Amino acid sequence: MDSFAGVEAPIQPVINTPSNMPLYKRKPFQLLEPPEELDHNELVFQVRFTKEIFRDYEEYLDRLNFYRQRVWTCKVTGKTNLTYEEALVSEHRAAEKVQQFPEELMNFTLTLRDLIDEIYSKLQEQLFVGIELYGRKEQSVYACKILKILGDGSNTRYEVGWLDKDKKVTDNSVLSAEDLIRKKSPYSRSILKAFIRESTRQSIPWVVHEKLARKYGVSTVPPTKLQNNGHLSSSMDRKRAGTNNIMDAQNAKKKRKTKEEEDLIAVPIKYPIDDLLVQPASDDPIFVYRPPLCTDFKVPMDCVGDLMMIWNFCSSFSRLLNLWPFSLEDFENSISHKDSDLILIMETHSALLRFLIKDESDYFMAVQKKKRKTKITRRNWAEYLCDFLEMGDQAELSSHLTTIKRGHYGLLDAHIKLRILRELVEEALVTDAIRERLNECLEQQQALAASKREQARKQKEEQQLKGEEVATKGMDQMLLLENGQTNSHNLDAQENGATKKEDTSNSRDVKRRPKSNKGGFKEKGNTASGTGESLKVQKRGLARSKESQEKTFEELQQQHLEREIEKLSICSSSLGKDRNYNRYWMFRREGRLFVESSDSKQWGYYSSKEELDALLGSLNPKGEREMALKRQLEKLYTRISNALQKRSKDVNQKVLLEEAVLRRSTRVRAQPRDSQATAYLKYVNKWKEI
């Protein structure tokens, strides 16, 4: 999958063009000049995409590895974190879009911000020859294109050509401006900005490339008002004189901040935004380097998508097909195997063919016409397969009928085997049995989802009731506390009054007794209160344990419902996309996290928990796609990590068993027969129809 490998190419001198130069640390990067006294017959190493030439192989590798680092910036679009070649591709694509820009709008000599606003407003307001829009015709609206502008001023009319679906002119009409409906501007401000950057070689002032200036008659001499500008003229003088005053250079750099940059700093960006528009910021966390994908598939890369689809279908509908489930690894090994009598392959084809016969579809009628038996066995399964291939108009597949009839199915290429299985799967997908099964799963999913929502609603109501009960108890306790304080205050007042009425001669004895009694009462009260406090603590502990048990039971119920809903999810859906639109897949019966490229031509996978953690650490939540993908991965983190760890453990055990078998076979001088790597050869369909 590495697109940076050097290739042989004719040696050419390096031409550093300003319009085709990725930026390194936001500055132009100077390429190396060819070695001196280079002989045409000399063996050298050349970087494919820069045409740089090296005599030393180590220097060539160092340079190539440097270009592979994600430190480059596209000069035109401003995209960062790119490799050198990715930045070149980005500049090339932006240049292609820029070349489509109308020539009528190229003769402007304004500042960047004003120029963008001026062009954008003209695209919105003015009409010119060649613009596509909509026009009213016979009380309907049709697509059209302006061919000619007739007249001038208020009586301007437009000759338009009506467009068909292929955007070809079919008829002409003359319409007024009121009968024309403008489309949304075909060029956004970012495209306009990229066009201006691509067409210029210097900023402050903006200087157009000489070829474009000559072609469109644009003057390369700054206007008088800019020439009289102090900081500009001094900057030009310093460049001509070649002065190296550091203070002047710093002041000139500060003055080069345009109004657009100041406005950009002043207006905060509301995240998340499109991932490709996210720029690095000072407050960003340190993102982990995304781990490389493993691509050690046994089938060709262009067959991996079909391999996944067929295996997932057979696994999801295994009970309906009466086909015992098998792993993706076993299926991949079986497809790449050259044995024609492989049980896993024969059982897979036989199960699909039996399923089509039960549906009484066109294939069933074809079998009936040939008066074949309805029972498919290991001996005649190839004949039934040939009947299926003869039904369709697939010339590519029909050319292999002779090989299959001779019993040499295993000699077919992997992409032909998967193409045949894909045709069988697509035929099975339109059967009534599959449709009924999908409807049943959907209804059960909806019922479980309703139960889950009802359970969540009840939990919320119970929590609200508990909160109200706690609030009521708190109010009652406060009232009791206030009443208790009032009663104790009255009792103290009564005791004080009775003490005053007693005889003063016996005051000491009378005082001592109450003190002793009172002291004894206090000790008894303290013991009772201590016992009450301990009971309260015990009650609180019991209440908390009961609440935790109820909460645990509710969580278990929710998890059980989620697992049941997941089991009914037959159709697998991707977890999300990253910034480059690569899709991520996690299948229920497979312990690997698969990644599919945006064009579905490349596949890879992660197989360890460490790679999953690194992937999570590399996703930028400021981007819309990577934020959604990160949330989904975090939501399913436990399940995915457990599946990855389980597979890693199984793989390690298989390796240990294979080593043990190899050691044992070496001692007895025999070849190992019970290796785990050949487990797919021992497949048995335990659900086979008798």
Side-chain angles (χ1 to χ4, degrees):
M1 296 179 68
D2 188 0
S3 61
F4 297 95
V7 296
E8 294 183 0
I11 298 176
Q12 298 177 359
V14 178
I15 302 175
N16 299 332
T17 59
S19 60
N20 191 18
M21 179 67 68
L23 303 179
Y24 175 65
K25 294 184 178 179
R26 300 187 180 276
K27 295 180 180 179
F29 181 77
Q30 188 69 27
L31 300 180
L32 297 177
E33 297 292 335
E36 297 179 358
E37 299 179 358
L38 184 64
D39 188 3
H40 289 283
N41 297 324
E42 184 177 355
L43 295 177
V44 294
F45 305 96
Q46 186 181 51
V47 179
R48 169 171 48 84
F49 42 84
T50 63
K51 306 302 180 184
E52 291 176 298
I53 300 173
F54 298 86
R55 285 193 172 102
D56 185 62
Y57 183 66
E58 295 296 332
E59 294 180 359
Y60 163 75
L61 287 181
D62 292 340
R63 194 73 165 188
L64 196 60
N65 290 329
F66 176 56
Y67 288 141
R68 289 175 179 173
Q69 298 178 15
R70 294 189 173 276
V71 295
W72 302 93
T73 302
C74 174
K75 177 186 176 184
V76 181
T77 63
K79 294 180 182 178
T80 59
N81 297 330
L82 303 176
T83 62
Y84 191 93
E85 193 170 16
E86 289 174 349
L88 284 176
V89 172
S90 177
E91 291 181 359
H92 178 70
R93 290 176 179 174
E96 288 180 347
K97 292 182 180 179
V98 165
Q99 296 304 322
Q100 301 173 2
F101 200 79
E103 297 184 1
E104 293 82 359
L105 304 176
M106 291 188 177
N107 296 324
F108 288 94
T109 55
L110 304 176
T111 61
L112 177 62
R113 183 183 180 87
D114 295 337
L115 182 57
I116 292 174
D117 292 340
E118 185 73 19
I119 297 175
Y120 192 82
S121 62
K122 282 187 175 294
L123 289 174
Q124 291 287 351
E125 298 174 2
Q126 295 187 4
L127 300 176
F128 51 89
V129 175
I131 187 173
E132 294 182 3
L133 64 172
Y134 295 101
R136 294 185 177 90
K137 178 182 178 183
E138 298 177 357
Q139 298 181 352
S140 299
V141 177
Y142 300 96
C144 63
K145 178 180 180 181
I146 294 181
L147 303 178
K148 188 184 294 184
I149 300 176
L150 307 175
D152 192 10
S154 59
N155 296 324
T156 303
R157 297 177 67 81
Y158 303 89
E159 181 182 348
V160 300
W162 303 103
L163 303 177
D164 58 8
K165 294 181 179 180
D166 299 328
K167 293 189 176 181
K168 294 182 179 179
V169 178
T170 59
D171 193 10
N172 296 355
S173 298
V174 177
L175 302 177
S176 61
E178 291 77 11
D179 295 329
L180 296 176
I181 303 173
R182 297 175 178 84
K183 291 183 178 180
K184 183 180 178 181
S185 176
Y187 300 99
S188 63
R189 294 179 185 271
S190 60
I191 296 296
L192 297 177
K193 189 175 182 180
F195 166 73
I196 295 171
R197 286 183 172 177
E198 172 69 15
S199 305
T200 56
R201 62 180 177 84
Q202 180 182 329
S203 61
I204 311 301
W206 293 90
V207 180
V208 182
H209 289 308
E210 294 181 0
K211 291 183 179 179
L212 292 176
R214 288 195 300 268
K215 183 177 180 180
Y216 297 103
V218 179
S219 175
T220 57
V221 180
T224 306
K225 61 179 181 179
L226 291 180
Q227 291 179 356
N228 295 332
N229 190 306
H231 77 269
L232 180 62
S233 59
S234 61
S235 175
M236 299 294 289
D237 293 340
R238 283 195 299 273
K239 287 182 180 179
R240 295 191 185 99
T243 56
N244 296 322
N245 191 307
I246 297 176
M247 294 299 296
D248 291 342
Q250 291 179 349
N251 293 333
K253 186 176 180 180
K254 291 179 181 179
K255 292 179 180 179
R256 284 173 187 159
K257 287 188 176 180
T258 62
K259 185 178 180 182
E260 179 186 2
E261 293 174 344
E262 293 174 357
D263 294 342
L264 186 61
I265 296 172
V267 178
I269 300 175
K270 186 177 180 181
Y271 294 106
I273 59 176
D274 186 85
D275 299 68
L276 299 178
L277 299 178
V278 176
Q279 299 293 333
S282 58
D283 59 343
D284 285 344
I286 300 175
F287 294 107
V288 181
Y289 179 73
R290 189 164 300 177
L293 293 168
C294 184
T295 58
D296 57 347
F297 297 104
K298 292 182 176 62
V299 298
M301 183 59 71
D302 58 347
C303 299
V304 177
D306 288 340
L307 181 82
M308 299 280 187
M309 185 272 289
I310 297 165
W311 171 80
N312 189 39
F313 174 83
C314 294
S315 300
S316 302
F317 297 97
S318 57
R319 198 54 182 153
L320 194 62
L321 297 172
N322 292 316
L323 183 65
W324 184 259
F326 44 82
S327 66
L328 177 61
E329 187 175 2
D330 288 347
F331 184 52
E332 185 180 5
N333 289 328
S334 301
I335 292 295
S336 59
H337 200 71
K338 295 300 180 181
D339 190 357
S340 299
D341 298 328
L342 208 59
I343 296 177
L344 192 150
I345 293 296
M346 290 191 298
E347 291 293 343
T348 302
H349 286 81
S350 300
L352 289 169
L353 292 170
R354 290 192 199 100
F355 185 76
L356 293 177
I357 291 175
K358 280 185 179 181
D359 188 63
E360 298 184 358
S361 58
D362 296 338
Y363 175 67
F364 174 75
M365 301 302 296
V367 172
Q368 290 292 322
K369 286 180 181 179
K370 294 197 174 184
K371 298 181 180 180
R372 296 191 185 277
K373 298 179 180 179
T374 56
K375 187 175 181 180
I376 301 177
T377 63
R378 294 181 183 177
R379 292 183 178 181
N380 62 6
W381 72 276
E383 297 176 1
Y384 285 85
L385 179 60
C386 291
D387 294 342
F388 174 79
L389 296 178
E390 289 173 354
M391 283 175 47
D393 298 329
Q394 299 288 341
E396 183 182 1
L397 299 180
S398 300
S399 62
H400 300 283
L401 285 173
T402 305
T403 304
I404 298 173
K405 288 179 179 179
R406 290 178 180 177
H408 301 304
Y409 176 86
L411 299 179
L412 298 176
D413 292 337
H415 74 278
I416 297 297
K417 295 178 182 179
L418 292 170
R419 180 77 178 274
I420 294 172
L421 284 168
R422 190 181 71 184
E423 293 292 332
L424 286 169
V425 169
E426 290 177 354
E427 191 73 19
L429 279 171
V430 298
T431 58
D432 294 335
I434 293 293
R435 190 180 298 108
E436 290 175 2
R437 177 59 179 161
L438 290 173
N439 291 334
E440 289 176 4
C441 292
L442 182 60
E443 291 175 359
Q444 294 176 11
Q445 276 184 324
Q446 291 175 350
L448 289 173
S451 301
K452 185 179 177 182
R453 290 193 297 270
E454 182 65 21
Q455 186 177 351
R457 186 185 64 79
K458 289 181 179 180
Q459 290 178 6
K460 188 175 181 180
E461 290 179 354
E462 289 176 359
Q463 290 177 358
Q464 290 178 353
L465 290 174
K466 286 180 181 179
E468 293 175 358
E469 290 177 0
V470 170
T472 305
K473 287 181 180 179
M475 292 295 296
D476 293 341
Q477 289 177 358
M478 290 176 63
L479 291 173
L480 289 172
L481 183 60
E482 291 177 358
N483 294 333
Q485 289 178 352
T486 305
N487 293 333
S488 62
H489 181 71
N490 295 334
L491 288 172
D492 292 339
Q494 292 175 4
E495 288 180 359
N496 292 331
T499 305
K500 289 179 181 179
K501 293 179 181 179
E502 291 182 356
D503 190 32
T504 55
S505 60
N506 299 327
S507 60
R508 291 182 181 178
D509 296 336
V510 174
K511 287 179 181 178
R512 287 175 183 174
R513 289 191 202 115
K515 282 184 180 179
S516 61
N517 292 336
K518 194 174 181 181
F521 180 77
K522 278 186 178 180
E523 291 176 2
K524 189 174 181 181
N526 289 335
T527 306
S529 63
T531 306
E533 288 295 332
S534 62
L535 289 173
K536 288 180 180 179
V537 171
Q538 291 177 1
K539 288 180 180 179
R540 289 174 186 169
L542 291 172
R544 288 176 182 173
S545 62
K546 186 177 180 181
E547 289 179 0
S548 61
Q549 290 176 359
E550 291 177 356
K551 188 175 181 181
T552 305
F553 178 72
E554 292 169 355
E555 290 177 354
L556 290 174
Q557 281 185 326
Q558 290 284 343
Q559 293 175 2
H560 173 71
L561 289 173
E562 289 177 359
R563 284 194 298 269
E564 292 299 321
I565 293 173
E566 183 183 351
K567 288 179 182 178
L568 295 170
S569 300
I570 294 179
C571 300
S572 301
S573 58
S574 66
L575 301 175
K577 301 177 183 179
D578 60 15
R579 69 189 307 269
N580 296 319
Y581 295 94
N582 299 319
R583 288 179 288 272
Y584 290 72
W585 300 84
M586 187 69 193
F587 301 103
R588 189 165 63 245
R589 298 173 182 85
E590 177 61 30
R592 286 177 285 183
L593 179 62
F594 291 93
V595 183
E596 177 189 9
S597 65
S598 58
D599 57 0
S600 302
K601 294 182 180 180
Q602 298 288 330
W603 284 83
Y605 64 86
Y606 296 124
S607 58
S608 66
K609 181 177 178 296
E610 292 74 17
E611 290 176 333
L612 175 62
D613 295 336
L615 172 64
L616 281 169
S618 67
L619 298 175
N620 193 340
K622 289 185 176 180
E624 295 172 346
R625 292 184 293 278
E626 294 201 349
M627 182 190 69
L629 175 61
K630 188 171 185 178
R631 286 181 179 176
Q632 190 68 8
L633 289 174
E634 289 174 347
K635 179 182 177 181
L636 304 175
Y637 178 80
T638 303
R639 184 171 70 86
I640 296 175
S641 59
N642 289 340
L644 296 175
Q645 289 176 328
K646 183 179 181 300
R647 184 180 183 277
S648 300
K649 186 178 179 181
D650 293 342
V651 170
N652 293 333
Q653 288 179 350
K654 287 181 181 180
V655 172
L656 294 175
L657 286 173
E658 289 176 4
E659 292 177 353
V661 170
L662 183 62
R663 288 195 298 269
R664 185 170 66 252
S665 63
T666 304
R667 288 197 301 270
V668 300
R669 296 181 181 179
Q671 292 297 325
R673 296 182 180 180
D674 52 350
S675 173
Q676 294 294 323
T678 58
Y680 65 97
L681 299 174
K682 303 175 183 179
Y683 172 80
V684 177
N685 187 6
K686 299 180 181 179
W687 290 343
K688 182 179 179 180
E689 292 179 317
I690 300 175

